[in-house]
């Protein structure tokens, strides 16, 4: 049987370290893939290419599934974000970011069972990249919300919610102020809700949502929101469950899917071998589920849960002393203890 082809962008900063650890774990637990390595981000720029080279986009378009490490986007200057470019080029319109407490991991809600999913619109809003200076002292960024972009996001979200046994979808918005753009988003949400009456649907204003999240997050189930609010809220939710080192994500389009952690390239700890690969590993678990490899996905998830609850081999961000490699070896060893993967 031919091996599954998976595109891999190792990325920048801690990207190559956590990508290697993730691939080592996937291979050691029986995922036989042909890994197609591609350039993006600062490492591509340093080779004289753009941050998201056309050949990288075309390769993922053809392979359809990619595992992506974080890429550095220099602030200001002329370089556009590799992520924004990829999400737009492949029309990866839904960014799914689960935030779930893990046993043994310290965090502000360690005593509660949090299990949220944030679905972030991934191609529109202020991230559409339409910025200009009508005057040297004035800069404008255009917020774009379309009916089609909103309705496909909500159709996807209700379908995903149903498939995952979720009971409630809450749309996060600021339609009281941005009456046209967020108003359109909210209108499309309730149209989709009317077609999915088996799932409870409601809405919340983004500032109140943040307050509710840091005081009583267990009240939420699935949150769906625009690009900018989703970017911010998903980091906030990562903090609720123990930090960015644990928060996975998937960028989903009709044809392609790119799996990557919520966090960035963490230049402050890059090259030290101490990054937590869990967020990327759990993103790879989402990829395994996308590919129908549920048994292996369960096995790796169980191993991660065991490593966390044992607490003997945690990385520095979780209060432990283990290196990226030691943690990866521990996950593999526990996974092997569960028997061979078919
Ligand atoms: P960041 O997410 O890279 O780091 C924030 C903090 O979390 C840092 O203290 C870092 O050490 C820590 N951290 C993040 N991931 C960790 C991990 N796996 N294990 C242990 N600690 C971890 O955010 P920052 O510093 O704002 O951004 C750095 C660069 O990453 C920027 O160029 C930014 O544009 C880019 N970025 C890329 C993303 C992507 O490629 N998907 C997403 C977010 C940011
Ligand atoms: Mg972000």
């Amino acid at each position: 049987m031919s091996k599954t082809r998976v595109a891999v962008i190792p990325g920048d900063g801690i990207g190559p370290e956590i990508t290697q650890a993730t691939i080592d774990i996937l291979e050691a637990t029986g995922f036989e893939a042909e890994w197609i390595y591609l350039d993006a981000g600062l490492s591509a720029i340093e080779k004289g290419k753009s941050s998201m080279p056309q050949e990288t986009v075309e390769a993922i378009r053809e392979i359809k599934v990619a595992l992506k490490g974080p890429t550095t986007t220099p602030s200001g200057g002329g370089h556009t974000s590799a992520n924004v470019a990829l999400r737009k080029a492949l029309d990866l319109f839904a960014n799914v970011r689960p935030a779930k407490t893990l046993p043994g991991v310290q965090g502000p809600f360690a005593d509660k069972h949090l299990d949220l999913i944030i679905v972030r619109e991934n191609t529109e809003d202020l991230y559409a990249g339409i910025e200009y200076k009508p005057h040297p002292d004035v800069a404008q960024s255009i917020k774009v919300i379309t009916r089609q972009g909103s309705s496909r996001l909500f159709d996807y979200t209700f379908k995903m919610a149903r498939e995952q046994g979720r009971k409630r979808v809450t749309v996060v918005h600021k339609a009281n102020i941005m009456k046209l753009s967020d108003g359109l988003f909210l209108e499309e949400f309730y149209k989709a809700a009317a077609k999915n009456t088996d799932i409870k649907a409601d809405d919340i204003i983004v500032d109140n949502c943040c307050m509710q999240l840091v005081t009583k997050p267990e009240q939420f189930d699935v949150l769906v929101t625009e690009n900018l609010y989703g970017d911010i809220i998903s980091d906030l939710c990562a903090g609720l469950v123990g930090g960015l080192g644990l928060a996975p994500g998937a960028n989903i389009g009709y044809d392609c899917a790119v799996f990557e952690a919520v966090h960035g390239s963490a230049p402050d700890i890059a090259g030290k071998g101490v990054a937590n690969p869990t967020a990327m590993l759990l993103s790879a678990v989402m990829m395994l589920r996308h590919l129908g490899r549920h048994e292996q996905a369960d096995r790796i998830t169980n191993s991660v849960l065991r490593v966390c609850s044992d607490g003997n081999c945690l990385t520095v961000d979780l209060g432990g002393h283990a290196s990226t490699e030691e943690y990866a070896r521990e996950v593999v060893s526990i996974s092997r203890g569960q028997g061979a993967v078919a």
Side-chain angles (χ1 to χ4, degrees):
M1 203 175 82
S2 67
K3 288 181 179 175
T4 308
R5 293 172 84 217
V6 176
V8 181
I9 295 175
D12 304 312
I14 60 169
E17 303 163 41
I18 57 173
T19 302
Q20 192 56 53
T22 299
I23 289 179
D24 288 349
I25 294 168
L26 290 178
E27 288 192 336
T29 55
F31 183 62
E32 296 281 307
E34 186 188 342
W35 308 102
I36 317 286
Y37 283 82
L38 303 167
D39 279 328
L42 205 54
S43 42
I45 294 170
E46 283 164 3
K47 289 184 188 164
K49 304 177 184 179
S50 73
S51 65
M52 184 47 70
Q54 194 56 29
E55 69 257 28
T56 297
V57 174
E58 291 315 322
I60 300 175
R61 201 190 302 281
E62 196 243 313
I63 297 167
K64 299 197 182 333
V65 175
L67 190 59
K68 179 184 168 294
T71 42
T72 297
T73 309
S75 293
H79 293 295
T80 52
S81 156
N83 295 316
V84 172
L86 185 66
R87 292 166 188 171
K88 283 183 74 175
L90 297 178
D91 208 13
L92 303 169
F93 61 87
N95 188 350
V96 181
R97 295 177 152 186
K100 194 170 174 176
T101 39
L102 297 175
V105 171
Q106 291 309 306
F109 295 95
D111 56 331
K112 297 227 163 66
H113 176 64
L114 296 189
D115 188 6
L116 310 174
I117 302 179
I118 296 96
V119 184
R120 162 188 175 190
E121 201 291 321
N122 222 9
T123 58
E124 302 193 331
D125 194 5
L126 281 160
Y127 290 38
I130 310 171
E131 285 195 309
Y132 59 93
K133 282 186 151 181
H135 179 276
D137 298 333
V138 179
Q140 293 188 335
S141 302
I142 303 291
K143 171 164 174 151
V144 179
I145 302 290
T146 69
R147 203 175 287 289
Q148 188 244 1
S150 306
S151 71
R152 68 180 179 177
L153 177 78
F154 298 132
D155 288 344
Y156 172 81
T157 303
F158 280 105
K159 181 168 166 283
M160 180 215 74
R162 183 173 301 107
E163 281 167 5
Q164 299 204 18
R166 301 288 174 150
K167 303 280 178 265
R168 177 179 169 213
V169 176
T170 304
V171 67
V172 185
H173 65 91
K174 190 80 186 175
N176 53 330
I177 303 295
M178 280 162 281
K179 293 181 190 299
L180 293 183
S181 53
D182 285 27
L184 178 67
F185 194 68
L186 190 58
E187 189 185 316
E188 285 305 311
F189 174 75
Y190 279 111
K191 275 193 204 163
K195 292 185 280 177
N196 293 279
T197 49
D198 55 320
I199 294 170
K200 186 170 161 19
D202 57 5
D203 68 275
I204 187 164
I205 292 174
V206 61
D207 31 1
N208 181 27
C209 179
C210 291
M211 198 279 289
Q212 298 288 337
L213 277 170
V214 298
T215 50
K216 214 174 152 234
E218 66 277 15
Q219 68 183 291
F220 295 113
D221 190 351
V222 176
L223 295 170
V224 60
T225 190
E226 293 170 10
N227 208 337
L228 175 63
Y229 309 146
D231 192 0
I232 297 167
I233 285 176
S234 49
D235 270 41
L236 188 159
C237 289
L240 298 179
V241 297
L244 281 167
L246 299 171
N251 299 285
I252 307 285
Y254 290 121
D255 299 321
C256 301
V258 176
F259 298 84
E260 64 174 338
V262 170
H263 65 72
S265 55
D268 52 337
I269 56 166
K272 297 181 179 160
V274 298
N276 187 348
T278 310
M280 184 151 193
L281 180 60
L282 294 178
S283 307
V285 165
M286 293 173 83
M287 178 182 83
L288 290 175
R289 295 200 186 284
H290 177 81
L291 295 170
R293 304 282 295 246
H294 295 285
E295 196 204 341
Q296 192 177 11
D298 289 343
R299 196 178 297 262
I300 295 176
T301 307
N302 290 339
S303 305
V304 169
L305 295 178
R306 269 279 302 283
V307 176
C308 290
S309 59
D310 289 354
N312 302 321
C313 198
L314 297 178
T315 45
V316 179
D317 57 315
L318 300 183
H321 304 284
S323 66
T324 310
E325 242 183 88
E326 286 163 344
Y327 172 88
R329 273 203 301 272
E330 184 72 2
V331 173
V332 169
S333 135
I334 289 183
S335 176
R336 288 204 168 131
Q338 298 177 66
V341 175

